[in-house]
Amino acid sequence: MSKSVIDEIGRERAEGLMAEAVQDAVEKAAALGLPQVVRVNGAWCRRYPDGRIEPIGEGA
């Protein structure tokens, strides 16, 4: 049976690579003016790099 990538490189290294990839994606999205999806007071919202926050979903 073959090992998973995580088994081969180790969990700590895999988590580090994933964290770097996520941070890179966030930075690229911000540079393009794209929002992050975040929870604000229990509601899902889009948070734009300029600080603007827009609710998502019902009542939006």
Side-chain angles (χ1 to χ4, degrees):
M1 188 166 167
S2 63
K3 289 184 172 184
S4 72
V5 172
I6 293 173
D7 289 336
E8 289 199 19
I9 67 172
R11 181 163 302 280
E12 187 174 315
R13 178 72 177 131
E15 288 175 358
L17 290 170
M18 289 184 282
E20 288 174 26
V22 168
Q23 184 61 38
D24 185 47
V26 168
E27 290 171 5
K28 286 179 180 177
L32 293 170
L34 299 173
Q36 291 181 357
V37 176
V38 297
R39 278 189 90 111
V40 177
N41 297 324
W44 287 106
C45 299
R46 290 181 187 95
R47 181 175 59 204
Y48 290 85
D50 64 5
R52 179 173 37 114
I53 296 176
E54 296 178 352
I56 298 173
E58 293 182 36

